[in-house]
Amino acid sequence: MNVAVDAMGGDHAPEEIVKGCIMAVREDQSINVILVGKEEEIKRELAKYNYSNQQIEVVHASQVIDVHEAPVVAIRRKKDASMVKAFNLVKEKKADAFISAGSTGAILAGGTLIIGRIKGIERPALGSLIPNRKGVTLLIDCGANAEAKPSYLVQFAHMGSIYLENIVGIRNPKVAIVNIGEEKSKGNTLAKEAYALLEKEDLNFIGNIEARDITEGKADVIVCDAFVGNIILKYTEGLGLSLLSMLKESIMSSIRGKIGGMILKPVLSDFRKQFDYTEYGGAPLLGLEGLVVKSHGSSNAYAIKNTVIQCHKFTSLHIKEKIEQNINHK
Amino acid sequence: MNVAVDAMGGDHAPEEIVKGCIMAVREDQSINVILVGKEEEIKRELAKYNYSNQQIEVVHASQVIDVHEAPVVAIRRKKDASMVKAFNLVKEKKADAFISAGSTGAILAGGTLIIGRIKGIERPALGSLIPNRKGVTLLIDCGANAEAKPSYLVQFAHMGSIYLENIVGIRNPKVAIVNIGEEKSKGNTLAKEAYALLEKEDLNFIGNIEARDITEGKADVIVCDAFVGNIILKYTEGLGLSLLSMLKESIMSSIRGKIGGMILKPVLSDFRKQFDYTEYGGAPLLGLEGLVVKSHGSSNAYAIKNTVIQCHKFTSLHIKEKIEQNINHK
């Protein structure tokens, strides 16, 4: 299992990226990591650790794609960018997976232009896990298609169901459209037309879900366009962490609170974990010919480690082949 | 100050609606409430309380508009519905404000068809307050226009700024578009085109805000279409309350937790209040010729009381006149 990692992508690159890869190869001896990026910088980081030489390889790339660049242009022009070279390793079958904490737009552009879509898939989609009271919910699409057609949402539903069933082990996952009301007639044109299509599919489609019911875990897979999905994803993180900070401030503002807080510390810390994106690994871009995973922009080493380990599970469970089979079967 | 209240709208009508109105007239002697709905049922509820007869009037309406009915059809056909009669009281200047905890769609339809828009306003919009770490954020539109044009968002920004500045007292409020990235080039067509228009307006426009920054209070007024707004609004409620329940469960699952929880009880209860919609009153439908307020569907008496009291502030601060002036000035 070879994982190509963009060493230059993300807020804490290359330090935390390199460190996370070291942690991953130490944890799983069957994984080899190819670090792609500025050789000198990567080697400087690698020198800090003891690790099995055979598990880490460095591929030099002189350029970096910035989050502010126009994605398609950057992927096409910067032939020597770390992201482009890492994508090419997957395309040439020298790597089994691609990971980057860099620009979502560039990952989408590279995934589509260099790796390519599975035949029959209209658009790839980013699927992210968010916490609910009972476990996790898969939100798809979270970042690829800010504008979507109803038929895309149908494919997102199938890909999301396959992913969740295999990775999380939820049998026959409940699929819903996130909407502003439960009735079939509610919502915008996209939601209404997608509802009519999803009803006819061989899926456990339960209809619309209102946002207030997401955290109750009423649905396992929630489909939406990436504008809505990305807002829900980022709001989960922001609201979850702000709430915990607000609670901490309340606790620290009185002696009574401080005593209670001290006693509750382990409970609060377990709780915080549920809203910690670093626990969930990265978000796969489903629907591509190869495995492409987007890691959170502010990923630390622990998040990168989890993302690398996750790739192993993804390939060994043949998610891509199952999506292919589902599409061809129709 | 006469407030027409739809006694039949909401999950807990008429019991909690009537009770809330009793609470309101007891608290503010300058308010008169006109309860509109099934006379017998309303009078049965009123008989439970002692109150000043002069402050409560009952207007009989034999029909009720259900949340599942097609809004425009219901408003047009059910001439004797509590909502239609309450709207007519405002239109005929027999009441200064309209409140309902019933169907949002019917309130929008009635507001537009019976009360009418302020001249120059393209679409009215529902503005709701959500909690942030420093206070509150106004989210507009939360329920009226599931599909919006860029020019609507510009008007929402003006109406929202006027409302927040007057009601909450935030001078020169910071206006932002909720989007999937901060750069001007990010987002769907609506967000991009609205950005270009908002830049040119006489507003404190700060650009795009990502959902993770909402709770940090980076913006005071957030504009969006009602599909996105309603999802954010309901997710705030759902996630906020679920988080507190999850925390409670964690606390109750160990002896250590129970002791800490007992000590922290007052802190947690203060905290819960911030996510309790009943504290915030109702959401005004801004841009209409009269004051129309939507109260939460599951409003209890306390929420209704706050909504009735809020109407007084709205009219005494001349929000409608200020919106009219802003539109005519352009």
Side-chain angles (χ1 to χ4, degrees), chain B residues 21-84:
Chain B
C21 292
I22 295 282
M23 286 162 75
V25 298
R26 279 180 186 162
E27 190 170 311
D28 187 337
Q29 259 101 53
S30 70
I31 292 178
N32 298 321
V33 169
I34 310 170
L35 282 161
V36 188
K38 295 184 177 170
E39 194 168 12
E40 207 178 320
E41 288 184 39
I42 296 170
K43 290 204 163 154
R44 194 188 310 135
E45 291 305 317
L46 282 173
K48 295 178 184 170
Y49 309 96
N50 289 321
Y51 60 94
S52 148
N53 272 325
Q54 287 150 349
Q55 281 184 271
I56 302 248
E57 188 188 329
V58 179
V59 167
H60 179 66
S62 64
Q63 293 172 303
V64 174
I65 294 175
D66 188 83
V67 286
H68 302 288
E69 289 180 77
V72 175
V73 178
I75 289 289
R76 287 216 167 110
R77 295 209 186 138
K78 287 190 161 175
K79 300 287 179 207
D80 206 49
S82 56
M83 221 188 254
V84 174

Side-chain angles (χ1 to χ4, degrees), chain B residues 2 6 14 56 100 107 135 156 190 233 252 256 267 276 296-297 323-324:
Chain B
N2 296 312
D6 169 16
I56 302 248
S100 176
I107 295 171
F156 299 170
L190 174 65
L233 178 70
M252 297 308 282
R256 184 187 176 124
V267 170
D276 184 356
H296 197 295
I323 291 174
E324 220 161 19

Side-chain angles (χ1 to χ4, degrees), chain B residues 310-323:
Chain B
Q310 186 192 30
C311 288
H312 201 171
K313 206 169 170 184
F314 194 102
T315 45
S316 67
L317 291 168
H318 307 289
I319 307 287
K320 186 215 127 189
E321 290 73 17
K322 283 169 184 160
I323 291 174

